[in-house]
Amino acid sequence: MKLRIPFERVDWINTGFLAMISLLAVIAAPAFLWFYDANALIWSMFGFYCIATGMSITLGYHRLFSHLSFKAKWPVKLFTLVFGACAFENSALNWVSDHRRHHKHVDHDDDPYDISKGFFWAHIGWILFKTTPEPPLDNVQDLQKDKLVMWQHRWDKLIALFVGLILPGVLGYFSTGDWTGALGGFLIAGVLRVFVVQQCTFFINSLCHTIGSRPYSTKCSARDSFVMSLVTFGEGYHNYHHEFQHDYRNGVKPWNFDPTKWSIWLLSKVGLASDLRRVPDTKVLLAEMAEARRRADQELASLHAANDHPWRDKAVESMNSLIDRLTANYHELEKAMTDRVDLSRKALRNWSRETRQVLDHLSAIRRGREVPA
């Protein structure tokens, strides 16, 4: 889809700010490090601010305020609102409004960062150009009743400026006693950190709707990416999130890298979070089985059409057998859920194993190898 945007729609404030931050991050910050280096305090501030602002977006803006996936006490809210502002990604109220519209209208015109308009648009273009008319904040009435959220909405730019940029410069000055420390704190813990955190957030909107796997649903473009989970505190499991958006976990499997999930769980153990919402394992497995069956049926149809496939007959026979077992398991699980039958972990593991077996067969067939016995 070719996107044409009128010149008059350019948001010069956002464009100017992002251009300045980007230029300072990719030119001025490396130049400073080349000539002056940075001391341990400046690098420590860089690490702290990356974690504090990044987690405030994922844990606060996203899972707490956007999806109400858990409840939090005021210290957690205040921390995520202050350091969320320092990411320079707008106030929580505006961020949540955009994100809720994204989920409601994903991959369609009313999606603020609609991937069908192109990678650049989903990544950053939607921020650089004004939406006309400006969408109303009619989907965040719940947050408008929260005094802390509304306080941050009024002052987010000043909070971001003083806590996110000026404070690192001041602390950097005291670490060296001269202007190089102040400049280092501003450029490294301030500007470079803002650039890194913003780009990681933007890649969820662009890359995680372009590249990756869709093990839970193909109803929208959202995809899982382990690599993106490493740099976004667990947000990379985007296919799961779009299918089960109110779950406080994005990385639902025990082995998934999701520091935000672990942090929420820890907060609940010390009494700072409660009412953690999670999708039952049976429902997650049902979604995986349905998607595996859909893909298996699709692959089987292509095998019937491909007479020259080297392993066609064996692959068709094997896939037919697996699909029959998977279908039977699917209906058995669906009936158990309908009848509210408690299922053993052993049964769930067995069904999960057979679902994985189907996916392994599909992978082997696509690579043109003999299907496993």
Side-chain angles (χ1 to χ4, degrees):
M1 178 179 180
K2 191 172 182 180
L3 187 65
R4 295 180 179 179
I5 302 172
F7 184 77
E8 61 271 14
R9 280 186 55 193
V10 174
D11 188 324
W12 292 109
I13 294 177
N14 283 348
T15 301
F17 175 79
L18 289 173
M20 179 184 67
I21 285 290
S22 299
L23 288 172
L24 288 174
V26 301
I27 297 175
F32 174 85
L33 293 174
W34 178 267
F35 289 107
Y36 300 103
D37 203 358
N39 60 33
L41 177 63
I42 290 174
W43 282 119
S44 296
M45 286 195 295
F46 174 80
F48 169 77
Y49 268 90
C50 278
I51 295 171
T53 56
M55 287 284 282
S56 291
I57 294 297
T58 63
L59 187 149
Y61 275 33
H62 189 207
R63 303 192 199 184
L64 174 60
F65 296 119
S66 294
H67 296 292
L68 311 176
S69 62
F70 67 102
K71 293 179 181 178
K73 296 290 181 63
W74 71 264
V76 176
K77 288 185 178 181
L78 181 61
F79 183 93
T80 58
L81 288 170
V82 169
F83 285 98
C86 294
F88 286 89
E89 295 185 18
N90 218 330
S91 71
L93 196 72
N94 284 316
W95 198 102
V96 170
S97 180
D98 287 334
H99 191 70
R100 287 179 179 178
R101 282 190 289 115
H102 166 65
H103 274 270
K104 185 176 180 180
H105 305 288
V106 62
D107 299 336
H108 293 86
D109 283 344
D110 289 332
D111 178 356
Y113 20 98
D114 177 10
I115 192 63
S116 67
K117 295 176 182 175
F119 188 94
F120 175 78
W121 176 265
H123 188 75
I124 198 172
W126 71 280
I127 302 172
L128 305 181
F129 301 97
K130 298 174 183 177
T131 302
T132 51
E134 192 73 20
L137 297 173
D138 58 356
N139 58 352
V140 286
Q141 293 93 334
D142 57 319
L143 296 182
Q144 289 172 333
K145 300 173 185 176
D146 191 311
K147 292 181 180 179
L148 277 176
V149 171
M150 295 310 296
W151 166 79
Q152 193 245 25
H153 181 63
R154 288 191 295 271
W155 303 105
D156 69 295
K157 302 299 186 296
L158 286 177
I159 296 170
L161 178 63
F162 283 99
V163 181
L165 293 179
I166 294 177
L167 182 59
V170 171
L171 294 176
Y173 174 82
F174 284 111
S175 73
T176 61
D178 58 30
W179 67 270
T180 57
L183 184 60
F186 172 76
L187 286 176
I188 307 304
V191 171
L192 181 62
R193 180 266 315 167
V194 169
F195 177 79
V196 169
V197 171
Q198 284 187 344
Q199 293 305 312
C200 288
T201 301
F202 298 164
F203 273 125
I204 295 296
N205 301 334
S206 55
L207 198 66
C208 282
H209 281 268
T210 306
I211 299 173
S213 61
R214 291 191 282 182
Y216 302 99
S217 174
T218 53
K219 291 183 290 188
C220 73
S221 61
R223 287 164 164 79
D224 281 0
S225 169
F226 168 72
V227 174
M228 284 306 303
S229 75
L230 297 178
V231 295
T232 58
F233 305 100
E235 298 288 270
Y237 303 102
H238 208 51
N239 185 251
Y240 178 84
H241 174 61
H242 267 268
E243 185 66 11
F244 305 109
Q245 61 176 289
H246 297 298
D247 197 323
Y248 84 94
R249 309 161 299 172
N250 272 17
V252 66
K253 304 299 184 184
W255 57 85
N256 289 156
F257 183 78
D258 189 354
T260 304
K261 169 187 70 176
W262 303 329
S263 299
I264 295 169
W265 182 84
L266 285 173
L267 287 172
S268 72
K269 295 304 175 184
V270 297
L272 291 174
S274 62
D275 298 330
L276 278 57
R277 301 170 69 179
R278 53 183 295 156
V279 175
D281 293 341
T282 49
K283 193 170 182 180
V284 175
L285 181 56
L286 203 60
E288 289 181 278
M289 292 170 72
E291 182 56 27
R293 188 175 62 171
R294 186 199 65 80
R295 289 169 56 189
D297 287 337
Q298 187 179 50
E299 197 67 35
L300 189 60
S302 67
L303 283 172
H304 279 297
N307 293 324
D308 58 341
H309 196 288
W311 306 104
R312 177 184 179 277
D313 292 337
K314 186 174 181 181
V316 168
E317 181 182 354
S318 177
M319 286 304 301
N320 270 322
S321 174
L322 282 170
I323 291 172
D324 288 343
R325 285 161 52 194
L326 183 61
T327 301
N329 289 343
Y330 178 87
H331 290 307
E332 187 178 349
L333 178 59
E334 193 174 41
K335 185 177 186 303
M337 289 182 64
T338 302
D339 296 341
R340 299 184 181 275
V341 175
D342 290 330
L343 300 167
S344 68
R345 290 189 177 274
K346 183 178 180 181
L348 292 174
R349 282 197 301 269
N350 288 339
W351 286 337
S352 183
R353 189 182 304 116
E354 292 198 1
T355 302
R356 176 53 52 188
Q357 194 174 4
V358 171
L359 297 176
D360 288 343
H361 274 65
L362 287 173
S363 180
I365 292 169
R366 288 195 186 95
R367 293 194 302 267
R369 300 175 183 173
E370 185 174 3
V371 295

